[in-house]
Amino acid sequence: MTTAPLRPTKSLIALFLGISLIYLTFMKPGIWGFDGNDMLNVSISLVTEGNFTVPEDSGGKLGRGGNYYSIRYPLLSILATPFVAIGITIANQLGLPIRHLAGVMALSLPLLLTAGTACLVSLLALRLGATAKAAYLVAISFALGTFSLVYAREFFAEPLLGFLTIGAVYLILLERSRDLIIGTIMVALAIIAKPTGVVIGPVLGIYLWCKQRCWQTAVTPLLGTAVGTALYLGYNYLRFENLFSAGQDTSRLQDGGVILRFLGMFLSPGAGGGLIWYCAPVLLALVALPRLWKRLPLETLVILGVTAGYVGLHSFWRFSGWNWGPRFLFPIVPLLLAVVAILPRRWWKWLLVLSLLGFLINAPTLVSYYQRYYAEASDGGYLDRALALWGPLGDTPLVNAWGAAWRQIQASMTSDVRELLTQAGNPPDSGNLTSAQFLQIVAVWWWMLPAVGIPLWIAGLMATVLLVSGIALLVWGWRQLDTVEVVQTHI
């Protein structure tokens, strides 16, 4: 039985609230992009119709009863229903477009999930033997120095899967009965968040067997995997009357090019790749993992096993979507950064430098939609090059994000947000995707407040208060750790 590490509770609360307020400052005014809107459609249907159907023209697939269904995963849509319901109510009261308000409220969920994941990074780091300050520092690095800045603002399944992955790993590594049960539930939920979550249960089951030599305990995470798989297969049957059909294009599963995709997810600066570029602090995991192996070999194998599972599965998937960095690897970033926390204090300066680099790479998406560059590439006829995993460096979002963000800000200076709201739901002009409403504004919620009669300077002041409060909470939480470290020393 492993003893739970001392939890600096006040600092964890400050960490969660501080990151949440910073994320809230830059929350988007709505969802732009097919995947996010597809899952939003399911949430809206659950609220308004009480079922999983989606509109015929939404990109869904024909299924049970002649209805159309999303081809994506159910858990994020289900969890978002309370947020969407609030958005619909507010929209009806103020006479505003329902989809806009529902989308804004739905975006609150990944924001909170990512802040929660940062707290779990800190807790897992403590479980692996890090000091309280090192654990706190890597949690902030995850939240502000990686592509978490981007995906906390997007309605994708990955932030939810990342939360469930590190949550399950942390709780089951504690090896306590109550935590084992909750962790197993998270293992099951991870699969209906996204089926690639199937990798978690077997790895944790092997860990428990090696640690305790008790098959009754070791099989528990596998039961979670079985339950989660059954739930997902049942969701398939509910939609398409076929346990094994999710409506996805299975031709994208390919064994050719596996090595290039594997390397690309880590090294390529192109779309869908480049973990070391978009999440620079994870480079320190190369130094930290051998150190962890010497002290905690089984725990190290858990981190490596889950990482290998996600990377291996996605190496067989020909991804060509409008991604920012290696989106599919989001669930492994919290695990790797938790390991970084065990490095001695002299490595902190490198963590800060790499986190600053990661912030600068991801920061343009705080005021623009990262899809803006892809829209420009589509309008310009070079989208294939922009989306290539190993395409020309000059065509990658890594190089072009700041320019696209600046052009979106320039467009916002001549846009009337009231007029944009009246056009809500209208598709962009053919061959001119950058004419889309959300690509004509500064992509933060408070920029839209003049549409409801709140002057922009007041909106900006509100955002400033949120940002300053978030930073102040993080500083306060850091200072509380002085007391925690004194207690740890005496223990």
Side-chain angles (χ1 to χ4, degrees):
M1 185 68 68
T2 301
T3 303
L6 180 66
R7 299 180 182 181
T9 305
K10 290 182 179 178
S11 293
L12 281 173
I13 294 172
L15 183 70
F16 177 78
L17 293 177
I19 292 171
S20 295
L21 289 177
I22 292 171
Y23 283 166
L24 180 59
T25 305
F26 297 100
M27 189 170 73
K28 289 181 176 178
I31 298 169
W32 197 88
F34 185 80
D35 290 19
N37 275 298
D38 192 26
M39 289 185 281
L40 176 64
N41 285 331
V42 176
S43 294
I44 292 174
S45 268
L46 286 171
V47 172
T48 60
E49 305 293 334
N51 58 47
F52 288 95
T53 62
V54 296
E56 182 177 347
D57 60 355
S58 67
K61 296 290 185 180
L62 186 63
R64 178 186 292 270
N67 295 310
Y68 285 79
Y69 295 87
S70 166
I71 64 174
R72 286 169 180 82
Y73 332 105
L75 187 58
L76 184 64
S77 298
I78 294 170
L79 295 178
T81 53
F83 299 91
V84 169
I86 293 171
I88 291 174
T89 301
I90 294 173
N92 287 330
Q93 291 293 324
L94 299 179
L96 295 173
I98 287 178
R99 284 194 63 81
H100 269 104
L101 268 293
V104 170
M105 294 306 300
L107 287 170
S108 303
L109 180 57
L111 176 160
L112 296 172
L113 287 169
T114 310
T117 301
C119 293
L120 288 169
V121 168
S122 182
L123 288 171
L124 180 58
L126 291 171
R127 166 63 181 83
L128 297 178
T131 65
K133 283 193 171 181
Y136 194 86
L137 197 61
V138 295
I140 294 176
S141 174
F142 164 75
L144 304 180
T146 70
F147 61 8
S148 297
L149 275 176
V150 178
Y151 289 114
R153 305 176 73 231
E154 296 287 340
F155 199 61
F156 287 144
E158 279 70 23
L160 174 57
L161 182 58
F163 175 83
L164 293 170
T165 299
I166 191 172
V169 169
Y170 168 68
L171 289 169
I172 290 178
L173 288 190
L174 291 180
E175 300 175 51
R176 300 181 306 196
S177 298
R178 180 191 61 188
D179 298 312
L180 179 62
I181 293 171
I182 300 173
T184 298
I185 293 172
M186 297 181 86
V187 167
L189 292 176
I191 297 172
I192 55 175
K194 194 172 183 180
T196 47
V198 73
V199 305
I200 309 169
V203 173
L204 291 172
I206 293 171
Y207 166 80
L208 290 174
W209 166 250
C210 294
K211 193 81 170 181
Q212 299 185 5
R213 298 291 181 180
C214 173
W215 72 266
Q216 293 96 333
T217 301
V219 79
T220 307
L222 298 178
L223 290 176
T225 300
V227 170
T229 301
L231 288 172
Y232 189 74
L233 294 178
Y235 182 60
N236 287 343
Y237 192 79
L238 173 68
R239 293 176 293 167
F240 304 115
E241 299 182 308
N242 185 334
L243 291 174
F244 303 104
S245 174
Q248 299 253 2
D249 180 8
T250 56
S251 68
R252 294 177 68 182
L253 277 171
Q254 299 178 355
D255 55 5
V258 168
I259 300 300
L260 284 177
R261 284 193 291 273
F262 173 85
L263 294 174
M265 283 188 282
F266 291 99
L267 303 176
S268 166
L275 190 71
I276 66 170
W277 303 108
Y278 294 93
C279 300
V282 301
L283 279 168
L284 293 178
L286 297 174
V287 181
L289 282 167
R291 293 170 180 259
L292 184 65
W293 172 261
K294 293 178 181 179
R295 293 194 296 104
L296 299 170
L298 288 178
E299 286 77 358
T300 306
L301 288 176
V302 169
I303 306 296
L304 292 175
V306 174
T307 297
Y310 280 120
V311 174
L313 284 178
H314 287 299
S315 294
F316 286 91
W317 184 256
R318 181 181 59 81
F319 41 90
S320 57
W322 291 23
N323 296 322
W324 176 265
R327 169 163 66 98
F328 298 147
L329 298 190
F330 187 99
I332 74 171
V333 174
L335 299 175
L336 296 177
L337 280 177
V339 175
V340 169
I342 71 166
L343 291 174
R345 193 183 186 101
R346 66 177 180 272
W347 287 94
W348 288 9
K349 62 182 179 181
W350 291 107
L351 178 62
L352 292 173
V353 168
L354 291 172
S355 298
L356 178 60
L357 176 61
F359 175 81
L360 292 175
I361 287 172
N362 294 288
T365 67
L366 291 176
V367 291
S368 69
Y369 283 83
Y370 79 79
Q371 295 96 333
R372 165 83 190 200
Y373 170 63
Y374 293 129
E376 293 178 347
S378 178
D379 293 345
Y382 56 95
L383 182 61
D384 287 345
R385 300 202 308 270
L387 291 175
L389 182 61
W390 291 101
L393 179 63
D395 291 325
T396 63
L398 189 68
V399 172
N400 292 285
W402 277 104
W406 174 243
R407 288 185 289 275
Q408 180 158 347
I409 292 172
Q410 286 181 310
S412 72
M413 297 305 166
T414 58
S415 297
D416 183 341
V417 293
R418 295 178 181 84
E419 178 64 23
L420 290 176
L421 279 182
T422 65
Q423 302 170 15
N426 295 338
D429 297 337
S430 177
N432 186 16
L433 290 180
T434 53
S435 69
Q437 295 90 357
F438 282 150
L439 303 186
Q440 299 294 312
I441 60 168
V442 177
V444 287
W445 60 271
W446 46 268
W447 189 264
M448 304 295 288
L449 290 183
V452 293
I454 299 176
L456 188 57
W457 71 268
I458 294 180
L461 181 60
M462 293 167 60
T464 301
V465 170
L466 287 173
L467 181 60
V468 171
S469 298
I471 294 172
L473 277 168
L474 293 181
V475 172
W476 182 85
W478 174 263
R479 290 175 177 169
Q480 301 308 302
L481 295 174
D482 292 329
T483 303
V484 172
E485 291 202 338
V486 169
V487 172
Q488 287 180 329
T489 301
H490 282 83
I491 291 176

